[in-house]
């Protein structure tokens, strides 16, 4: 998601900017995980200060992404109506389109099960040696302790040729 946001001209605040109380981000992205205890409560706690900014008239876009967003869906908007975009993990490669809907004045919930589109965006990699390559999304197992099938959907594999092309490209760039 970070790479897609940077392609839109959106960048993280620098350390200097973060230290300056007068400079505040105009887009807040909470990428959530529902594995931890009290994950939902923590998300609402993180939303609070930004929702306050919005209620006070500041132009701030609030995005909640990931597994908590997937679990909570529209309930998240009922509890925190200041949130502009709620998106499950299967929509991570579509964040630019969803933000366009938001910029048109829409409040968007993208949590319905969908077929994962082949991601044509390039992930932002911080290492120059090792790179993760997604080969599958979701899971068909139903382990009693695991939330993945509920939040990430059914197992969907990437096309084998797409995986091979990505690996060959990474090797060509010097990744191990």
């Amino acid at each position: 998601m970070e790479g897609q946001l940077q392609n839109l001209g959106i960048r993280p605040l620098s350390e200097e900017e973060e230290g300056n109380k007068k400079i505040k981000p105009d887009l807040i992205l909470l990428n959530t995980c529902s594995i931890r205890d009290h994950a939902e409560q923590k998300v609402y706690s993180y939303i609070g200060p930004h929702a306050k900014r919005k209620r006070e008239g500041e132009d701030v876009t609030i995005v909640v992404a990931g597994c908590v967003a997937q679990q909570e869906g529209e309930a998240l908007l009922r509890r925190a109506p200041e949130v502009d975009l709620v998106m499950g993990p299967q929509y991570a490669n579509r964040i630019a389109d969803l933000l366009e809907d938001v910029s048109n004045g829409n409040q968007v919930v993208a949590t319905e099960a969908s077929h994962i589109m082949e991601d044509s965006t390039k992930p932002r990699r911080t290492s120059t040696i090792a790179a993760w390559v997604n080969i599958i999304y979701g899971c068909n197992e139903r382990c009693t302790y695991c939330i993945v099938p509920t939040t990430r959907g059914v197992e969907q594999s990437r096309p084998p040729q797409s995986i091979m092309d990505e690996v060959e490209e990474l090797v060509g760039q010097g990744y191990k």
Side-chain angles (χ1 to χ4, degrees):
M1 285 189 291
E2 184 177 359
Q4 291 180 70
L5 293 172
Q6 287 177 345
N7 289 341
L8 295 172
I10 300 168
R11 63 171 179 78
L13 292 180
S14 68
E15 285 184 29
E16 280 181 21
E17 290 171 321
E18 279 190 41
N20 183 342
K21 299 286 185 213
K22 293 180 182 178
I23 298 175
K24 296 179 183 170
D26 51 7
L27 182 129
I28 304 299
L29 173 70
L30 301 173
N31 194 13
T32 64
C33 173
S34 59
I35 299 296
R36 302 279 183 203
D37 283 341
H38 312 295
E40 297 83 6
Q41 291 80 13
K42 289 178 184 177
V43 168
Y44 290 112
S45 176
Y46 288 130
I47 291 171
H50 307 295
K52 183 176 187 264
R53 288 176 52 202
K54 195 169 208 167
R55 285 191 304 272
E56 292 172 350
E58 287 188 47
D59 186 17
V60 60
T61 300
I62 304 171
V63 178
V64 181
C67 294
V68 172
Q70 181 70 32
Q71 276 182 277
E72 296 289 297
E74 299 227 3
L76 202 147
L77 294 182
R78 285 192 294 277
R79 189 162 166 195
E82 299 82 4
V83 171
D84 298 289
L85 170 58
V86 177
M87 60 180 246
Q90 69 273 30
Y91 289 89
N93 64 343
R94 299 184 205 170
I95 192 168
D97 295 333
L98 297 172
L99 285 173
E100 185 177 339
D101 282 350
V102 168
S103 72
N104 290 330
N106 298 312
Q107 196 174 40
V108 179
V109 177
T111 55
E112 56 277 345
S114 72
H115 181 71
I116 303 286
M117 294 179 355
E118 183 61 22
D119 189 357
S120 61
T121 62
K122 298 293 182 202
R124 183 178 173 277
R125 293 189 162 96
T126 54
S127 170
T128 57
I129 298 168
W132 291 94
V133 176
N134 283 337
I135 62 168
I136 193 168
Y137 303 96
C139 183
N140 288 343
E141 304 302 319
R142 293 285 176 185
C143 303
T144 57
Y145 58 84
C146 186
I147 194 78
V148 169
T150 305
T151 58
R152 299 236 171 157
V154 297
E155 191 173 281
Q156 298 178 54
S157 297
R158 285 180 59 195
Q161 190 58 51
S162 171
I163 297 166
M164 292 299 299
D165 292 345
E166 184 175 352
V167 169
E168 288 171 5
E169 181 181 338
L170 290 168
V171 169
Q173 294 172 5
Y175 285 91
K176 306 292 180 204

